[in-house]
Amino acid sequence: MASPAIHYRVECADRNAHLFAVTLTIERPAAQQRVALPIWIPGSYLVREFAKNLQKLQAVQGRRKLAAQQLDKHSWQIDCASGKPLVLRYQVCAYDNSVRTAWLDRDRGFFNGTSLCLRVEGQTDEPHAIEVLAPPLLAPGERWSCATALKPARVDRQGFGSYLAADYDELADSPVEMGMFWSAEFEACGVPHRFVVAGAPASFDGERLIADTRAICETQMRFWHGDKVGKRGGPKPPHDRYVFMLNAVDDGYGGLEHQHSTALICTRRDLPQLAAKKQPEGYTTLLGLISHEYFHTWNVKRLRPAEFAHYDYGQENYTRLLWLFEGFTSYYDDLLLRRAGRIDDTGYLRLVNKTINQVLQAPGRLVQSVADASFDAWVKYYRQDEQTPNTTISYYTKGALVALCFDLTLRAEGKGSLDEVMRLLWKKSGGGPIDEAAFAAALEAVGGRSFAQEIASWVHSTDELPLADLLRSHGVAALEDPAQRAQELGLRVAEANGSVQVKMVLRGGAAEQAGFSANDEWIGIELGAAKGHKAQAWRLAKLDDLALYLGPLKKITALIARDRRLLRLPLTLPSGVTTWRLAAQDPAKLTRWLDPQ
């Protein structure tokens, strides 16, 4: 096979300065060749302006230095002739320790192609090669390794060397992890998998992580393709390899899906621990993240919105279907944890309960439909501020509840389940792009009737979802408990060092009616004279102090600091504010939903 005509060489130019050096060779450039760096990365719907980190772009053709004219914020035109090899050299500053961009320091390197690899306009469908060089050693005994899901062409035992991509899309969709990371390999339904973990402490239980991850992967492959997946004569999953890349940090959480891999970040305290009688509570959250990103292997990376059939890396790519692709994935990530035996019924209902309360406690659910929230992801979901819960709703959380409603409705009517709808969508589309009409048709095919009314109400309006009735029909009661103090008042606060900082004021709540504002500091309270008590004033260190100081009183004066001004706000404490608590009442019905045979 001939060497690809587009070749990148990536070097760790200066780990202390967080600089990658990239050499791009274009064997057959066009005259006045244009190149561009993406402004966003698929799966994370925000314009991130990766070109802001690119510097020192130089171009040569043979021995001739060429001018590189910048055309806009992310693209350049090279003053070159056609046909003769063109070489571009540049640096990228890598100081974003997230899953979306690039990072380089003395201990670790990581990058996505969208952050480092200029697109060659007119040749993005051609094969691409990328060579990743091992960094110079900075300490005795240091020996880095390299991990990526790209297909190797010529690599050494540590994974450094040349890799191949079918086109720019595959290159952009294949992150690279470097460093002295922990690594293990396993098979799931015959498919080779690798898990690498950077930053793990000595207490890390790798065997536990691999066992749980394998169970999740096998459960999901069987969900999509049946029990014979991976067996001789049985169906094959869409991926022939997969790499999990987990960065364990002091404080962080998130993931980004790719066709043959995922990049993850979690806190070190959430990793499974050796010889622990009980694993950290956050470990379930980590397993849910692993489940979520792996489910994207099917739902979003292959089965995806029609608008994402071909990515435009130079501008926003809009869709109203993120509720289906992110929301439904959020429904199945925890449900498949339950089916994989990683959590029990009580643990699963606790997670559903949390999602329900997150949605019910967001006034924005009555302002914006989940379809509109999908479209507005570019300006709202990734740019949250003090008014976010009042003006928008998460297509993750409400989308998950929409999925739950469709699933429980189908099951209650005895016509199938959402599982069958998802598999039918996969079969009908061939694992490719779909639109809302395809989803509606699959619902009707499985359910035996039109679901147009439900789609209009649950997806395109701000109507409340029929959660209580549907849960009750499947053996789960929705009980109401008194809300915690912050929710009772309609506040979201941060408590630290004896101070109560107001972060958000929820629409329609008692705090808004009293005149509270985001960024206020709630200093204290004043109480009028009451039977047996004289007028009092108290310093407030945390919201729970209110129960100590108020007794039966419902009307108080809140002492607030705002922009260094001291204010007195008349606050009436409400009554009857509740939060949901789910309880299993009919185990047989619950089992038919959570663990169908």
Side-chain angles (χ1 to χ4, degrees), residues 1-5 127 164:
M1 175 181 175
S3 177
L164 302 176

Side-chain angles (χ1 to χ4, degrees), residues 83-213:
K84 297 174 60 178
L86 171 65
V87 178
L88 304 180
R89 295 184 178 89
Y90 55 94
Q91 294 179 336
V92 174
C93 185
Y95 201 68
D96 181 351
N97 196 20
S98 75
V99 298
R100 298 176 295 264
T101 312
W103 172 266
L104 182 64
D105 69 0
R106 295 178 66 89
D107 298 320
R108 175 177 176 262
F110 172 85
F111 67 87
N112 290 283
T114 45
S115 292
L116 260 66
C117 299
L118 287 165
R119 294 170 59 249
V120 181
E121 291 194 11
Q123 299 190 46
T124 56
D125 293 333
E126 299 296 319
H128 289 53
I130 184 168
E131 182 183 8
V132 184
L133 275 62
L137 300 183
L138 294 182
E142 181 183 60
R143 192 175 190 185
W144 278 27
S145 297
C146 177
T148 179
L150 285 168
K151 291 187 175 179
R154 181 177 296 176
V155 300
D156 61 23
R157 294 180 63 181
Q158 267 55 58
F160 289 102
S162 296
Y163 293 86
L164 302 176
D167 50 27
Y168 185 84
D169 282 343
E170 184 178 7
L171 180 69
D173 194 45
S174 304
V176 175
E177 176 77 31
M178 296 180 285
M180 297 180 66
F181 49 69
W182 177 91
S183 176
E185 297 178 357
F186 64 95
E187 281 199 358
C189 297
V191 177
H193 290 64
R194 184 183 185 188
F195 211 127
V196 302
V197 181
S203 62
F204 168 56
D205 187 346
E207 289 187 9
R208 174 67 183 267
L209 180 65
I210 294 302
D212 290 338
T213 302

